[in-house]
Amino acid sequence: MPDLLLELFSEEIPARMQAKAADDLRRMVTDKLVAEGLVYEGAKAFVTPRRLALTVHGIPARQPDLKTERKGPKIGAADAAVQGFLKATGLTSLDEAKIQRDPKGDFYIALIEKPGRAAIDVLAEILPVIVRTFPWPKSMRWGERSAKSGALTWVRPLHSIIATFGPETEDPEVVKFSIDGIETGQITHGHRFLAPSAISVRRFEDYEAKLKAAKVVLDSQARKDIILADAKQLAFAQGFELVEDQVLLDEVSGLVEWPVVLMGSFDQEFLSIPGEVIRATIRNNQKCFVVSDPKDSDKNPDKTGKLTNKFILTANIEATDGGKAIVAGNERVIRARLSDAKFFYETDLKTRLEERLPKFDNIVFHEKLGTQGERIKRIERLAAEIAPLVGADVEKTKRAAHLAKADLLTEVVGEFPELQGLMGKYYALAQGEDASVAAASEEHYKPQGPGDRVPTDPVSVAVALADKIDTLVGFWAIDEKPTGSKDPYALRRAALGVIRLIVENTIRLPILKVAKSAILGLPEKAAKYPAADAQKRPGDLVSFFADRLKVQLRDQGARHDLVDAVFALGGQDDLLMVVRRVEALAKFLDTDDGKNLLAGTKRANNILGIEEKKDKRSFDGAPDTTLYKLDEEKALAKAIDQVKSEAGAAVAKEDFAAAMSAMAKLRPAVDAFFDKVKVNDDEPNVRENRLKLLNEIRAATRAVADFSKIEG
């Protein structure tokens, strides 16, 4: 089957747009092919700074022929209806139509045959539309054509288009079309500087090989592999280690077509700056990697080496001087940037963190939630309340909450916002603060995502919880809750952060009580609801936490039905206990006792459901022991009483494994009951009593979960 090769050659495409552009091109072309009945075998898109390319394998040479039937008017219908039918179907007379028998009458049927078109003609029709409607985040007009009405807009000036189609055994044909004066052909160009001459290509294999010979690595992943391997080797050769950075690697690979890795250096004096500032300066301004010394790794708690005064850059050319001029140019810029960073850092150290805080009184956090200064006071008060619950020193926690946001007003964080919190830690340590107080400046923002580390220091945990709960309560109070896919204030992330802080640190935190306390600290203008409804808001927020916890547990592999079974009991205020119940229930149901008890409990629930519906009433209340006729009834009643006592005591001690073990004692009695006892006895009072006994099974199991919610 024939293959398609498409290349859109232009000026440099911004690196941040490249990956999505490749995905969009593949999706748009293949979707159109399938819609036209041209089902392909495979497709892959490629992108470099100057080209967007696509190869699609195994496209049929022609569309399939289509045969459709069109129902016409009844026999004997008015002439106008007949003529309209003939015109619409292309028939010359009714003799060419079939007649379909129908209970409502006999109808004319036209068999319409539409021959498939050649795939190359279909491509010539769909490809220009795709190019003209390509979804670039930003596009531009250029040159003489820019003034024309309806001229092509593209991310950067488009220079040429390759579009060839044909089988491997023959020379492919050019898919003929023109876009804004650019005619399709078979000509591309290699590297802008190393091999700028025109290149004639036929199909993809030819295209990829000739580009490589012309100093262009077409595959972005191949460019990444080259950069990473060469950078590691270059660092290793001098006894250092590359500080890997996947985001930077993705960006750098989009800036070059022929990656050449080089090493430069900067003055030793700049190593007095925190390593993160050096890295941010070099990374953000020059797109270079930093290098560490593995000999220093044992001195750092994270086992990473201290930065050296080296950096690694990726050039786009093989320079005749071996890259000396390129390295020197980068060294000059980095020296200047590091000088600025050193000045910012040293200037920041001259002002204590608490001296910056008054400025927050003039910075609005949210018009309905007051200033940043007011928010800091709320966090400080709430963190002090939470501290005893998480085992944190109250005074250290208050101090940490007081200083945690102060670095937002420093010069370094103003230049590199991604260093917020981290710089607060450095500045706090520099002014002699306790280590826990300093660490909380950085850690109170954590965790910021599912892969982020959860703080374990009690002071950091207390401040982190206070910060996130204040955010949640505040935006709940002004009715700015997440809706659908919209969550502009990242409230879902904040709730998941609270959950992880609680669960991973095994903290017993009464969310409802803390939320009610947080409500009281909000400014009056935040009270959207009447004062009488103020207590309803925390309850609504707790339900939101419950929903987020369900998502978290399911993402971790917990069965959704077990989560629902535990949540059906209520008590979502204690998130840690919900998690422990789910874990214990899952282990119990993996045992034979658990599986069999579940089966028996479900049978009891099913019978009760049927009979309650039939009698239009429930069978609550204690059974009458004098109505027990069979030993199996008495044995079940005795087992239920024992299990209620033991499981209840275990749950009270929060020993859910023991509660499950107690529940397992029901299994033989339940099995024997259903084996020997007829529930719907002929005597009405005996029947009712036995149904009440089944209800006792349901009540007993609800000590640990609602078994009716469990599948299987």
Side-chain angles (χ1 to χ4, degrees), residues 503-525:
V503 173
E504 296 184 30
N505 285 296
T506 61
I507 294 169
R508 303 296 303 278
L509 188 74
I511 290 289
L512 186 60
K513 180 181 177 182
V514 174
K516 287 180 178 179
S517 178
I519 282 275
L520 299 176
L522 294 175
E524 291 184 8
K525 53 190 172 184

Side-chain angles (χ1 to χ4, degrees), residues 56-104:
V56 185
H57 306 292
I59 303 173
R62 297 186 66 82
Q63 291 175 310
D65 295 339
L66 295 178
K67 294 182 179 181
T68 58
E69 289 186 349
R70 179 161 178 171
K71 191 175 183 180
K74 286 184 180 180
I75 294 176
D79 184 62
V82 172
Q83 294 303 318
F85 171 64
L86 294 174
K87 183 177 181 181
T89 58
L91 302 182
T92 58
S93 72
L94 290 175
D95 293 338
E96 298 176 3
K98 297 192 304 182
I99 295 176
Q100 178 176 292
R101 306 295 179 186
D102 190 280
K104 296 181 180 179

Side-chain angles (χ1 to χ4, degrees), residues 445-555:
Y445 290 108
K446 296 179 177 295
Q448 294 189 340
D452 197 12
R453 177 176 61 85
V454 174
T456 56
D457 184 281
V459 172
S460 294
V461 171
V463 181
L465 286 169
D467 182 34
K468 292 169 177 59
I469 291 172
D470 176 78
T471 298
L472 287 159
V473 166
F475 285 107
W476 236 253
I478 62 174
D479 203 26
E480 290 283 358
K481 308 170 190 175
T483 57
S485 61
K486 296 182 178 179
D487 188 9
Y489 301 109
L491 301 183
R492 292 188 181 94
R493 186 176 71 185
L496 285 172
V498 171
I499 289 168
R500 289 189 64 200
L501 284 162
I502 289 173
V503 173
E504 296 184 30
N505 285 296
T506 61
I507 294 169
R508 303 296 303 278
L509 188 74
I511 290 289
L512 186 60
K513 180 181 177 182
V514 174
K516 287 180 178 179
S517 178
I519 282 275
L520 299 176
L522 294 175
E524 291 184 8
K525 53 190 172 184
K528 181 179 177 66
Y529 302 103
D533 293 336
Q535 297 306 308
K536 294 182 181 178
R537 282 174 275 172
D540 186 25
L541 179 58
V542 168
S543 296
F544 179 71
F545 274 115
D547 290 340
R548 292 298 94 202
L549 180 57
K550 285 184 182 181
V551 173
Q552 176 83 352
L553 290 173
R554 289 169 186 167
D555 288 347

